Amino acid sequence: MAAPDDKIRCDACPVLCYIRPGMTGACDRYANRNGELVRVDPHVLLERTVRDGGEIVPFMSPAREWSGGIVNAPVPIVTAIGAGTTYPDYKPAPFIVSSKIDGVDMVTVVTEGIYSYCGVKLKIDTDRHLGAECATVRAKGEPVGHVTTGEYGSQMLSLGGVNHLTHGGKKEGRVTCETLLDLCNRKAVELTVDGGASVIVTAGKPPVINGHTEERMRVGCGSAAIGMFAKQWYGKVDEVVVVDDHITGVLSEHQAGKLLGARDTGIKLKGRRSTPGRYFHVAEPGTGWGGANISDPLQIVAGFDAKVAWPGLTMLMVSTTGEQYAFYRLDESLKPIEAPLPENLRVSVERVSENCEPALCSVLFMGGAGGSLRAGVTENPVRLTRSVRQALTTVTAGGAPVVVWPGGGITFMVDVMLLPDNAFGYVPTPAIVAPIEFTMRLDDYAALGGHVDHVRPVGDILAQRAKTAAGVGAISAPARSEP
Ligand code: SF4
């Protein structure tokens, strides 16, 4: 709608910006171009990307049997990236596109959803302790999430969510939104954990923890490492301890060592013995050996039983990444004395490192499309949810496959590495804008009460695209009613 002073009002989100000619709105997604409201980023059609030699990721397996898969067919793939948003939600989605695939009429409904209920799950491949579970994670000093349960070789953070976006102060909401946006668009973000570490996270890149770039994730826990490499150690050294904050392994006691015939060494470790050769909690969590708070591995050794051990007994201690190792020989008083690592053990230590995968940060966006966004697809939103449940409708985000959680609503997760660059945006409400596409058979779309009057053939989209100047603002969203 044109305002008296030539500003136009954008009604694509609740902010309802007035935008001057030649300017963009608060989110930089919409602009006033000669009195017309346009979406400033190009609408991503993957056919064009492929033709122009752009990089895309495979987002559905060709082997997948779903005949309605929008990528298996030689037709343009209409993503929601740059498609625009409609607000309020009862308006039909910006693009409802029909195409024929293997003789079947299909429809893809695309929209850039505005998510107040969203966040990211971060998987940070490192043994280093980032902070206690439930500890607050901050960006620019503001609380944006917390440490959640660790996984195998990785620390996990849960950031964002509606509480940080809406319940904290204005600054907390703004910084949370900015943090999520940067992480989803694969930019570097510095986070600090209360009582823990500082970490720079970039999707697809190694984490930088307290200024140290992590190179490798662990080969396994200490016990697993004993199991994997026992044969390479047996006969070359009397004892091996794989130091791990969680499960430290001891070769002579471990089942792997027993089966090979390893001799008892009488070693006594601190911590709690779980099962033979597997010790829990040998130290506190930290950023030293095996994710424990130790820089000297002997800190976890309580001593040797004089009735069993012998002077000259050899012992290798190694961390779960092979990054740290030390070799010892017991003196006459059964005290371990460090000695150079024998050549025949060097290979096994290198083998531990070789078996570690590169440490990376993974960012999964998680959002709930279970609410009003569905009204842009159908007049009876619950039918869309049911259709997704029944696998009649495929959900993608920017063309990438998503994991839809069981239960109510359409709560999904997507790996941000699978989306094209800058696929995510924001609005200052604050909320994250993320692409979402629903693809189904046209007759199923009609059956679930879809906005069939707004279906446009894919050829129309391409024709409109061809008419506009290449690049920016190529396709404007459909006309909107006045607020
Ligand atoms: S912030 Fe909302 S109203 Fe303002 S330009 Fe962006 S989408 Fe439009």
Side-chain angles (χ1 to χ4, degrees):
M1 139 180 135
D5 56 358
D6 288 339
K7 289 177 192 165
I8 55 173
R9 192 169 198 187
C10 174
D11 61 353
C13 92
V15 178
L16 301 172
C17 296
Y18 283 105
I19 309 175
R20 292 177 195 281
M23 305 291 284
T24 59
C27 65
D28 287 336
R29 297 167 58 235
Y30 282 90
N32 177 343
R33 190 174 65 187
N34 305 324
E36 189 193 0
L37 182 67
V38 294
R39 178 71 178 85
V40 297
D41 301 300
H43 184 195
V44 175
L45 305 177
L46 292 189
E47 181 202 56
R48 174 167 55 85
T49 310
V50 172
R51 188 196 61 215
D52 296 347
E55 191 179 337
I56 63 163
V57 290
F59 55 84
M60 277 190 189
S61 160
R64 196 166 164 168
E65 283 186 4
W66 166 252
S67 63
I70 54 176
V71 297
N72 287 343
V75 296
I77 298 151
V78 181
T79 79
I81 302 166
T85 312
T86 46
Y87 184 80
D89 311 275
Y90 63 78
K91 296 178 188 172
F95 292 96
I96 305 175
V97 184
S98 66
S99 56
K100 209 179 251 303
I101 299 173
D102 292 339
V104 180
D105 288 319
M106 303 297 298
V107 66
T108 300
V109 184
V110 307
T111 190
E112 289 182 302
I114 298 175
Y115 296 88
S116 299
Y117 291 84
C118 73
V120 298
K121 307 296 173 206
L122 295 185
K123 173 174 166 283
I124 300 171
D125 300 336
T126 182
D127 267 357
R128 281 172 234 278
H129 180 68
L130 299 183
E133 279 174 20
C134 303
T136 297
V137 177
R138 294 176 190 272
K140 296 181 178 164
E142 293 295 316
V144 298
H146 62 272
V147 179
T148 185
T149 44
E151 296 298 342
Y152 201 14
S154 310
Q155 308 292 328
M156 305 290 292
L157 307 184
S158 179
L159 305 189
V162 70
N163 290 330
H164 287 294
L165 284 168
T166 68
H167 270 218
K170 211 169 177 180
K171 191 172 172 206
E172 179 178 331
R174 184 174 53 75
V175 172
T176 300
C177 187
E178 200 177 290
T179 302
L180 297 180
L181 181 64
D182 285 346
L183 286 168
C184 288
N185 282 336
R186 309 198 288 258
K187 293 186 181 150
V189 170
E190 181 161 11
L191 302 167
T192 55
V193 182
D194 285 3
S198 101
V199 55
I200 298 173
V201 176
T202 315
K205 299 231 167 98
V208 181
I209 299 161
N210 292 338
H212 169 94
T213 302
E214 195 66 281
E215 285 179 20
R216 292 186 280 266
M217 68 186 296
R218 59 169 51 195
V219 65
C221 68
S223 169
I226 293 283
M228 290 160 82
F229 300 107
K231 268 178 120 173
Q232 296 173 46
W233 287 321
Y234 177 66
K236 297 190 181 116
V237 62
D238 298 313
E239 186 63 281
V240 179
V241 178
V242 182
V243 181
D244 177 6
D245 170 42
H246 306 124
I247 311 171
T248 288
V250 178
L251 177 67
S252 65
E253 295 181 11
H254 195 278
Q255 183 70 354
K258 289 281 175 228
L259 287 176
L260 290 169
R263 179 180 168 187
D264 285 346
T265 63
I267 191 170
K268 293 180 197 157
L269 282 198
K270 293 179 183 167
R272 178 164 62 88
R273 193 167 101 144
S274 156
T275 51
R278 300 170 73 252
Y279 287 81
F280 293 168
H281 205 171
V282 293
E284 293 305 317
T287 54
W289 280 56
N293 64 341
I294 55 165
S295 52
D296 175 1
L298 292 181
Q299 286 176 267
I300 68 166
V301 180
F304 284 83
D305 182 347
K307 293 192 197 110
V308 183
W310 62 96
L313 182 156
T314 55
M315 174 171 71
L316 170 69
M317 298 190 82
V318 61
S319 67
T320 41
T321 55
E323 201 176 340
Q324 297 108 332
Y325 57 87
F327 179 76
Y328 302 91
R329 188 169 277 115
L330 298 196
D331 67 8
E332 291 302 319
S333 62
L334 302 183
K335 186 172 167 229
I337 306 295
E338 190 163 1
L341 182 72
E343 250 343 278
N344 66 350
L345 284 179
R346 186 170 300 282
V347 176
S348 67
V349 169
E350 286 169 1
R351 188 65 57 82
V352 173
S353 299
E354 187 189 333
N355 275 272
C356 296
E357 292 179 73
L360 293 175
C361 299
S362 307
V363 178
L364 263 69
F365 171 79
M366 182 162 173
S372 51
L373 183 151
R374 295 173 299 169
V377 181
T378 162
E379 286 172 356
N380 196 352
V382 73
R383 289 205 192 159
L384 177 64
T385 314
R386 289 184 195 139
S387 178
V388 170
R389 289 270 158 271
Q390 292 162 0
L392 297 175
T393 294
T394 296
V395 184
T396 50
V402 306
V403 173
V404 179
W405 280 69
I410 303 171
T411 300
F412 69 95
M413 293 198 299
V414 63
D415 177 358
V416 304
M417 294 301 291
L418 298 179
L419 277 80
D421 287 344
N422 293 318
F424 293 84
Y426 83 105
V427 290
T429 53
I432 291 291
V433 176
I436 188 162
E437 302 95 23
F438 300 98
T439 300
M440 67 209 88
R441 294 164 68 114
L442 185 56
D443 48 5
D444 285 333
Y445 187 51
L448 61 80
H451 304 292
V452 285
D453 293 348
H454 291 77
V455 173
R456 303 158 70 188
V458 69
D460 276 12
I461 307 280
L462 292 175
Q464 186 180 347
R465 162 96 216 160
K467 266 195 248 160
T468 55
V472 176
I475 300 175
S476 60
R480 296 176 174 80
S481 61
E482 295 184 2

